[in-house]
Amino acid sequence: MSDASRPDPVTDRLQEVASTLGDLRLDELLGELQERLARVVSTRDRMQDLLDAVLAIGTELDLDTTLHRIVSAAAELVQARYGALGVLGPGGEFTQFVHVGIDAGTAARMGPTPRGRGLLGQVTRDPRPLRLADLAQHPASIGFPEGHPPMRSFLAIPIRVRDEVFGNLYLTEKLDGGEFGQDDEVVLRALAAAAGVTVENARLFDQARLRHRWLQASSEITTELLSGVSTADGLRLIAQRAMEISRADCALIVLARHGTSSGQARVEAVAGEADIEVGIPVSTDGPVLASLTGDTPVLEADVSAAPVSGLKHVLPGYGPALAVPLHSGEAGAGAVIALRRKDSRPFGPGQVPLLASFADQTAIALELAAKNRAQRQLDVFGDRDRIARDLHDHVIQRLFATGLSLQGTLRRATDTDVRRRLQQSVEQLDDTVREIRTAIFDLHSAPEADDPVSLRRRLLDTVADASSGAGFTPAVRMSGQIDTAVPAAYFEHAEAVVREAVTNALRHGEATAITVSIDTGTDLTIEVRDNGRGLGAGSSGNGLRNLRDRAVQLSGTLELTDADPTGTLLSWRVPLLTPPEPDPT
């Protein structure tokens, strides 16, 4: 065998090495291919997760639910343990903070929700994505409150609604213990873009729903006011609806009525949790009540922290406030004020035009209701004038003529019993004429529906209450302009006199007949006559001393005399021409 035909060991070795290298290169290429395929699958899965997340957040129109779904979807996409979304207010602080991953107990121990300062406010000051391996190392970090869980890795993305930054999305603590990567940021930016569209749709839907509720409330109030409800009831209904729809804890109607001193107003209606009485005066100084004297709504983050506020001493437990003007020609300048408890979510700027529009429509309804009431009152006065004229021109004249006829017959009568009966009939006719004249005065001066109960009605009720269970009803005679001539400051005194006199006649005098006479002229005179045991029964005591003191306080007198033939006559008289000033104490 020649040397050329013999196997070359070197060549064989080289071929073997080349074959081995080829196999290794093929394995390397196959490994790279598998790695790329895995990346493609991972990217496909992540894109599918992103599409699922976009669909999930886009199927809800309620804003609060939408925000919670956005945070939950973001945490799942980037495998974060904790997630949060801070909604920005006008001052750059959070008006709402939605979070996932922290239970309610831990959140309560952490204290108040963040306001958007420190590291959380960095994305607000510079609205660009922020990715950190350890958030504690950032210069803007100010640490965690007590009870806060530990957090290191951090990723923040701003959420834009059109050209406005609606809020910031925060993710912390990668579940695998690593850092958030570039892919996480890209996916989260895509989700934030879709979330901006979803938030805009939810906000528009929420505003449309609120407008519908405000319109319904305005329609309800207009219907109630035009149906004849009193102004006080109408204001209470306005406050109640304003509180409910604005999601407030309390709502007030504050009015500076015509004729009141400058800088002073009164609370006319209250709805909600406020422990405040209607009628309490408040100062119009300060930013919240500035809407009383202007046409600009006021949005206050914390009414208790305002430099000067006429409400902070009245409502110490409240913070966020929204006040809009309520101008009514009948009631005067006023404001509708919605309040929330301290540390509650502030009112948003979108609520201002809705409440202002509501106040404008209710002010118009108040004006229309006042005009309707005035027209109805004019109609009633017209009817009263006609009735009073008919009573004066016909009834009284006929009674007077009948009385004259009886008096003429009385002079011709010779029988004693006939003369006595004729005399009684004449006296009864005189009493009837006096009562009709009193009724005519009342018809000309009857109080309006919104005014307090008249003195005539109050005295009648007092007699009925004091004589309940007596077995008979005392006679009550009234003459003169009782409901117009007697000042309101006298009402309490007059009721006390009637109640004490009737009670004494029944309890101490054991009377079986009582006559109460009230007359107004230059004096207010109250006489109570009974047929009881006379002055010896109950002629002294604290009750009568109180009546005498009341008379002296009003520059009047109290007299007790024996009645004819039996019983007691109590006469309480006070002047009406110059009523004394009320006691400041």
Side-chain angles (χ1 to χ4, degrees):
M1 180 180 294
S2 63
D3 293 338
S5 62
R6 277 186 299 183
D8 187 355
V10 175
T11 303
D12 293 342
R13 185 60 179 165
L14 289 174
Q15 289 177 351
E16 183 180 350
V17 170
S19 176
T20 301
L21 289 175
D23 292 340
L24 291 174
R25 180 60 179 168
L26 180 59
D27 291 341
E28 182 179 351
L29 291 175
L30 288 175
E32 291 179 1
L33 180 60
Q34 289 177 349
E35 183 179 350
R36 292 183 180 182
L37 287 174
R39 289 180 181 178
V40 170
V41 172
S42 176
T43 303
R44 184 202 63 186
D45 292 341
R46 174 161 278 196
M47 291 301 297
Q48 185 61 47
D49 292 340
L50 177 61
L51 290 176
D52 293 341
V54 170
L55 290 175
I57 66 175
T59 56
E60 182 60 52
L61 288 177
D62 180 75
L63 184 58
D64 291 338
T65 305
T66 298
L67 297 179
H68 193 274
R69 286 191 175 184
I70 290 173
V71 179
S72 298
E76 291 178 3
L77 277 176
V78 297
Q79 296 298 298
R81 187 182 304 276
Y82 307 108
L85 194 158
V87 181
L88 297 176
E93 294 189 353
F94 295 148
T95 61
Q96 190 175 358
F97 195 78
V98 182
H99 58 81
V100 296
I102 298 178
D103 59 87
T106 303
R109 289 191 297 271
M110 288 164 50
T113 57
R115 293 299 183 187
R117 304 183 180 95
L119 180 59
L120 297 183
Q122 180 65 31
V123 184
T124 303
R125 296 184 290 270
D126 184 12
R128 292 182 297 176
L130 178 63
R131 184 158 42 93
L132 301 172
D134 186 357
L135 56 87
Q137 302 302 317
H138 194 276
S141 178
I142 57 177
F144 297 120
E146 185 177 355
H148 197 287
M151 296 180 181
R152 291 180 56 84
S153 54
F154 179 82
L155 176 58
I157 300 288
I159 296 178
R160 296 180 180 271
V161 176
R162 298 183 180 177
D163 296 330
E164 167 196 0
V165 177
F166 170 79
N168 300 324
L169 190 59
Y170 303 101
L171 286 309
T172 61
E173 283 298 287
K174 190 83 168 174
L175 288 177
D176 58 7
E179 303 176 11
F180 294 106
Q182 181 67 32
D183 293 343
D184 295 324
E185 180 180 329
V186 171
V187 170
L188 211 57
R189 292 177 66 174
L191 179 66
V197 177
T198 303
V199 167
E200 176 69 4
N201 291 337
R203 288 170 67 180
L204 292 175
F205 176 76
D206 195 48
Q207 290 177 4
R209 185 171 54 183
L210 278 177
R211 286 193 182 96
H212 178 66
R213 295 181 64 189
W214 284 118
L215 288 175
Q216 281 185 323
S218 300
S219 176
E220 177 190 2
I221 290 170
T222 302
T223 301
E224 290 292 327
L225 289 173
L226 296 183
S227 65
V229 70
S230 66
T231 302
D233 290 339
L235 292 176
R236 280 194 295 270
L237 181 60
I238 293 170
Q240 183 68 28
R241 294 296 177 264
M243 179 197 70
E244 293 172 352
I245 303 178
S246 63
R247 301 186 182 100
D249 296 313
C250 166
L252 307 178
I253 305 293
V254 178
L255 296 179
R257 290 189 177 272
H258 299 307
T260 56
S261 60
S262 176
Q264 289 294 324
R266 288 199 323 163
V267 176
E268 299 292 344
V270 182
E273 305 172 356
D275 185 15
I276 179 174
E277 295 182 0
V278 172
I280 188 172
V282 293
S283 172
T284 58
D285 297 330
V288 175
L289 295 181
S291 54
L292 284 169
T293 56
D295 295 325
T296 305
V298 176
L299 190 64
E300 191 72 32
D302 188 357
V303 65
S304 64
V308 179
S309 173
L311 291 175
K312 66 180 182 180
H313 299 300
V314 177
L315 301 168
Y318 289 85
L322 172 58
V324 296
L326 175 68
H327 296 302
S328 171
E330 181 209 29
V336 181
I337 304 173
L339 297 156
R340 289 176 179 166
R341 292 287 183 185
K342 283 186 177 180
D343 299 326
S344 296
R345 184 195 312 179
F347 293 98
Q351 293 178 280
V352 175
L354 297 177
L355 185 57
S357 176
F358 171 76
D360 290 340
Q361 294 183 44
T362 52
I364 295 173
L366 285 171
E367 292 284 350
L368 292 176
K371 289 180 171 58
N372 283 352
R373 279 196 300 272
Q375 184 60 49
R376 287 195 298 268
Q377 198 67 36
L378 288 175
D379 295 339
V380 171
F381 284 156
D383 289 339
R384 289 172 178 167
D385 288 340
R386 176 181 56 78
I387 295 172
R389 186 170 57 251
D390 291 343
L391 288 174
H392 183 272
D393 294 344
H394 301 291
V395 178
I396 288 183
Q397 300 305 322
R398 290 179 182 177
L399 291 175
F400 188 70
T402 302
L404 290 177
S405 176
L406 290 175
Q407 286 179 339
T409 305
L410 179 62
R411 287 192 292 269
R412 297 189 183 95
T414 58
D415 185 87
T416 303
D417 186 57
V418 172
R419 290 177 62 86
R420 182 179 59 81
R421 291 189 178 185
L422 288 174
Q423 183 63 39
Q424 289 179 348
S425 298
V426 171
E427 292 175 354
Q428 290 174 357
L429 286 175
D430 289 340
D431 291 341
T432 303
V433 169
R434 282 195 297 269
E435 291 176 359
I436 293 177
R437 284 175 175 169
T438 301
I440 291 173
F441 282 127
D442 290 341
L443 286 171
H444 283 303
S445 57
E448 297 184 13
D450 286 348
D451 290 345
V453 178
S454 66
L455 178 59
R456 175 185 297 273
R457 171 49 52 192
R458 292 171 68 165
L459 293 179
L460 289 173
D461 291 342
T462 300
V463 172
D465 291 341
S467 61
S468 62
F472 68 95
T473 302
V476 181
R477 297 175 180 175
M478 298 186 186
S479 60
Q481 303 182 48
I482 294 176
D483 289 333
T484 56
V486 182
Y490 286 27
F491 286 13
E492 180 184 351
H493 299 291
E495 288 181 84
V497 171
V498 171
R499 181 180 295 106
E500 182 67 24
V502 173
T503 302
N504 280 346
L506 292 171
R507 182 181 303 169
H508 303 295
E510 299 180 358
T512 58
I514 300 174
T515 301
V516 180
S517 301
I518 300 102
D519 179 68
T520 56
T522 57
D523 298 333
L524 168 63
T525 303
I526 299 176
E527 292 185 347
V528 179
R529 183 188 300 269
D530 66 75
N531 65 347
R533 293 188 297 165
L535 287 175
S539 58
S540 63
N542 291 332
L544 291 178
R545 279 198 297 272
N546 289 337
L547 299 189
R548 187 171 284 107
D549 291 342
R550 289 179 183 273
V552 171
Q553 182 181 347
L554 300 178
S555 303
T557 60
L558 171 68
E559 294 181 0
L560 281 173
T561 58
D562 287 321
D564 185 22
T566 60
T568 305
L569 174 62
L570 181 146
S571 180
W572 189 84
R573 186 187 304 270
V574 293
L576 291 177
L577 295 180
T578 55
E581 294 294 330
D583 188 352
T585 60

